[in-house]
Amino acid sequence: MAEKPSEEPRPESAAPSDDAWEQFLRDSEAGVPASAPKEPSARARMVTERLRALDEAQAAAAGRKGRRFGRSRPVAPARPEGWRTGPAWRETDGRASRRRTVWSVVGVLTAAALAVVAVNPSAALSWLPGGLGGGGADASGASASGVDASGVEASPLAPETARPTGAPGGAEGIPTRERPFTGSPAARWEAGADAIRLPRAKAVNGVPAARIEEALRGTKEFLAAANLDPAVLKGGEPVKALALVDPLEADYLADLRAAVRRPTEDNDPVSAFTRFDPEEVDLVGDVRVRGRMTVAPDTAAEGRALITADYTFVYGVARVGGNETTRVIVRRVLQVDAADPSRYQGTEGRLWIRDLASEIGNDDCREGDGLINPSFFSDLLSASPQAGETRDPYDRSTSVSREDECGVVSRT
């Protein structure tokens, strides 16, 4: 069982003093272009006051018990050497590791936020519900909303072929039901299962090309069934995904089924399947997807290969009966074994899942309810301040966390 984060409330950081604010402005004048404003505009001062009011509201809420934000958990240790070799394989544990790290959306609005107001008021406005900020354009002229300055839809980014070297650039604008990806790098990502491309199948480490291709296709089907199926997204049972798991992984399959039917703190289905509460949130727009799939030899033994699928899924969500819109970012790293059927046991047409690790950005992580529970900007007004590492959920240049962690997302 993962160690629970401390329930003791942490005080909110204090807003900067007037002297500190004036010093920041003097420092900023030396580091920004001459065309930049020398002092906050009336519009910027309005946002500053709203942010300060938000800080005060969060500080007042610090004395109340907040909800738990984030956890990940290993479910089973790695298999012993020699697994899946002959009859003894049936006696192994048979469960894949499943880890989930969750990052809340609740952050700390202090001097850093006020600095953005002074230097870039339109970016700060984009944080506010009903804000006045517009969409900023990147070097290609395409804005975060996926629309260029002339109103023409921007073309999607080229497929990802290797690990990125850093996080995607920032963007301005607020999401709406009509444009849920405004202000998000996912505005230029491809949508749906078509974004999950398969590498060319070829023989690897003694595993025939036909077996590699079968495992690649099954991996894509599992990702789509677990993260894109409309019925599953609305809290339904992931029937198609479960049917793809090799029944010889009996313990792991039993864990997955039990998690869906009776979620617990230690066995939560969102570790493997993306599910929301349809009574709380509406899914708006399509699902944006970015990632890559690779095949490598299993260096432990001849006749085995390892397929790794690393994908990030971005969902636009709105409150049921309301217009406030936000996003949830889910990254899954799925590892599937492909083995020479003449040398290793396995069920034809099914997947042997070796490992599945996840990071979920913008989930309040209620223990064991089996659903992703996003926070909206207005929730900050009553939420207790949260502690933990800050992460960019769009940053695919780093590995998925393998620790039990809580944290804060830098954006949605």
Side-chain angles (χ1 to χ4, degrees), residues 45-268:
R45 288 195 296 270
M46 175 191 71
V47 179
T48 300
E49 290 306 315
R50 293 176 71 178
L51 290 174
R52 282 177 173 162
L54 179 57
D55 278 348
E56 293 172 0
Q58 286 188 314
R64 298 193 295 269
K65 180 179 178 181
R67 294 176 294 181
R68 290 185 18 110
F69 285 77
R71 75 239 186 246
S72 65
R73 61 182 67 87
V75 173
R79 295 190 185 89
E81 182 63 29
W83 73 274
R84 211 176 181 191
T85 307
W89 164 69
R90 295 178 181 271
E91 299 172 6
T92 65
D93 179 69
R95 288 180 292 174
S97 303
R98 285 173 292 153
R99 302 175 180 85
R100 174 191 176 205
T101 301
V102 186
W103 308 90
S104 80
V105 74
V106 180
V108 179
L109 297 174
T110 56
L114 297 177
V116 174
V117 174
V119 178
N120 192 348
S122 62
L125 286 166
S126 72
W127 302 345
L128 304 175
L132 304 175
D138 62 17
S140 66
S143 73
S145 64
V147 180
D148 64 22
S150 63
V152 178
E153 290 288 335
S155 59
L157 294 175
E160 184 178 289
T161 57
R163 174 176 287 187
T165 57
E172 300 176 15
I174 60 172
T176 65
R177 277 182 174 266
E178 293 72 26
R179 293 189 180 277
F181 301 105
T182 294
S184 164
R188 295 192 62 201
W189 292 7
E190 295 177 293
D194 289 343
I196 304 176
R197 290 182 168 81
L198 305 183
R200 184 173 65 88
K202 59 182 180 180
V204 175
N205 197 33
V207 184
R211 177 69 187 100
I212 295 292
E213 182 174 8
E214 179 187 30
L216 287 170
R217 292 186 181 279
T219 301
K220 176 176 179 175
E221 290 177 15
F222 182 88
L223 287 171
N227 300 284
L228 298 174
D229 186 323
V232 177
L233 296 180
K234 293 179 181 179
E237 184 173 357
V239 177
K240 296 178 183 177
L242 291 170
L244 289 167
V245 180
D246 195 323
L248 295 177
E249 279 194 289
D251 289 342
Y252 178 48
L253 194 53
D255 281 348
L256 290 176
R257 287 174 172 154
V260 172
R261 293 167 185 172
R262 295 177 300 279
T264 66
E265 178 181 346
D266 293 323
N267 195 20
D268 195 322

Side-chain angles (χ1 to χ4, degrees), residues 69-71 101-106 329 358-365 388-393 401 405-410:
F69 285 77
R71 75 239 186 246
T101 301
V102 186
W103 308 90
S104 80
V105 74
V106 180
I329 303 95
S358 302
E359 287 185 349
I360 303 176
N362 191 10
D363 177 12
D364 76 358
C365 198
E389 180 186 355
T390 299
R391 289 283 294 268
D392 183 345
S401 173
E405 293 182 272
C406 301
V408 178
V409 292
S410 59

